Amino acid sequence: MPLNIAIQKKGRLYTESIQLLKEAGLKVDNSKDQLKAKVQKFDAEVMFLRNSDIPKYLEDGVVDLAIIGENTLIEKEADISVLQQLGFSKCRLSIALPKGSDYKNINSLEGQKIATSYPNTLQSYLNEKNVKAEIHRISGSVEIAPNIGLADAVCDLVSSGSTLFKNGLEEKEIILKSEACIAVNKNLGAEKLELIDELLFRIQSVLKGRNNKYILMNVPNKSIDAVSKILPVLKSPTVLPLVEEGWSSLHSVISEDDFWSVIKELKSLGAEGILVVPIEKMVV
Ligand code: AMP
């Protein structure tokens, strides 16, 4: 039986989900506007579903694995397992109020009306903080609710904050941080688990590649040891002699996060001609 993979039908997660599957070697035949597509070279099918329906399908076993935002899983209180965070669709669920509102802390929301598409997540947060507020559930364009007198505050997803800004709202409380993840049904048989292990291995290789860069540079021989010590990502750097005496070409891998601080150190050790190249996949 093929692995049933669900991704969002259309919306923010769609493009990056298809791209990730493609980079993991799963070419999805999604040329037509269809609900289900075959995958080439991997025993799987991809279903295109509404984001908010995916947790239930996962829980019921209609779908084995999904790429979905953690925020949706939390809101739907889905009993599923999260195997891997994916590093895209990063956002936060925040409470925001019109600019200039009298807000000191979460207790300022006592008795207030809050509009949201995330009523369960908001209610749990308010319960935890012992605040009683009136929750207005709306399914879209939450940010206009205060302007039309429907609510005093909103609880909505924020990434850059520009939508809040355009609507004259100020972010006051972050109640959840979220990104896309791989979630799976909890009761899968051995055959499906084997396919998931293979897929996860491929996805992790893609993610590692995205987080690292291949770096090569010319280094005076006397600095090889010092340079090797500050490039510790894989086993050890490759050192090849240059035609010019006293110099070597040194190749290694560097984490995206450390890139700029390490470059400075390399230069101070005499490294020249530093080239940094993207890595497509990384198996360690
Ligand atoms: P949508 O395509 O608007 O239904 O959003 C799908 C998912 O994208 C959400 O459930 C979040 O996980 C994620 N997302 C990331 N940033 C944002 C944002 N600024 N607004 C809405 N959703 C976001």
Side-chain angles (χ1 to χ4, degrees):
M1 288 284 278
L3 187 69
N4 290 317
I5 301 174
I7 63 168
Q8 191 191 28
K9 197 158 116 191
K10 53 180 180 220
R12 288 168 203 267
L13 293 169
Y14 174 81
T15 311
E16 292 213 61
S17 302
I18 289 281
Q19 180 65 23
L20 180 65
L21 292 176
K22 189 174 159 199
E23 286 177 32
L26 278 71
K27 196 166 174 300
V28 184
D29 177 15
N30 63 330
S31 47
K32 285 171 250 112
D33 190 15
Q34 52 196 359
L35 183 70
K36 218 177 195 186
K38 290 227 167 341
V39 171
Q40 288 171 20
K41 295 189 185 164
F42 195 87
D43 191 11
E45 280 179 340
V46 173
M47 290 199 231
F48 304 99
L49 300 173
R50 271 167 54 117
N51 207 35
S52 55
D53 292 340
I54 291 177
K56 184 83 178 111
Y57 282 129
L58 259 183
E59 216 176 63
D60 293 349
V62 177
V63 158
D64 302 319
L65 174 148
I67 298 179
I68 184 150
E70 294 167 308
N71 56 305
T72 310
L73 296 174
I74 291 167
E75 175 61 22
K76 300 287 176 187
E77 294 161 351
D79 187 21
I80 48 89
S81 307
V82 171
L83 296 187
Q84 177 74 48
Q85 291 188 312
L86 296 174
F88 62 84
S89 277
K90 287 193 178 176
C91 59
R92 48 199 192 271
L93 185 64
S94 293
I95 295 175
L97 276 82
K99 228 176 253 160
S101 300
D102 184 20
Y103 185 89
K104 288 184 192 69
N105 55 41
I106 189 75
N107 294 315
S108 308
L109 294 172
E110 186 74 32
Q112 301 280 292
K113 285 186 200 161
I114 312 173
T116 188
S117 308
Y118 292 86
N120 295 329
T121 315
L122 175 59
Q123 189 63 68
S124 316
Y125 185 77
L126 293 174
N127 290 348
E128 206 181 285
K129 302 283 174 190
N130 261 324
V131 172
K132 287 200 173 50
E134 205 181 304
I135 298 179
H136 274 251
R137 183 197 193 120
I138 29 184
S139 56
S141 303
V142 170
E143 61 284 347
I144 61 164
N147 287 328
I148 57 172
L150 194 70
D152 305 297
V154 301
C155 172
D156 203 7
L157 291 177
V158 184
S159 42
S160 70
S162 66
T163 307
L164 291 184
F165 182 78
K166 274 187 232 150
N167 286 281
L169 298 167
E170 266 175 356
E171 192 174 359
K172 297 294 186 188
E173 302 278 338
I174 296 177
I175 74 175
L176 177 81
K177 286 196 174 154
S178 170
E179 63 186 83
C181 67
I182 297 280
V184 296
N185 172 275
K186 277 188 164 173
N187 308 304
L188 294 171
E191 204 185 322
K192 296 274 171 107
L193 288 176
E194 211 174 298
L195 286 169
I196 287 177
D197 268 358
E198 168 67 20
L199 180 59
L200 206 59
F201 164 73
R202 294 186 185 194
I203 285 177
Q204 285 166 348
S205 306
V206 173
L207 296 176
K208 274 188 211 125
R210 285 183 184 176
N211 291 333
N212 290 284
K213 301 275 181 238
Y214 189 72
I215 183 167
L216 45 156
M217 72 208 81
N218 297 328
V219 178
N221 287 347
K222 63 176 172 21
S223 296
I224 288 175
D225 281 350
V227 169
S228 303
K229 281 201 189 93
I230 54 173
L231 293 173
V233 175
L234 290 180
K235 200 171 269 170
S236 68
T238 305
V239 180
L240 302 166
L242 291 190
V243 174
E244 188 174 324
E245 196 124 324
W247 282 79
S248 295
S249 170
L250 191 144
H251 301 204
S252 189
V253 168
I254 183 171
S255 146
E256 174 91 66
D257 295 338
D258 300 338
F259 179 69
W260 289 110
S261 56
V262 170
I263 291 292
K264 252 195 235 161
E265 279 185 75
L266 294 175
K267 283 177 75 177
S268 70
L269 287 165
E272 288 177 5
I274 303 170
L275 303 180
V276 178
V277 186
I279 296 173
E280 207 171 287
K281 286 164 194 88
M282 197 165 139
V283 179
V284 288

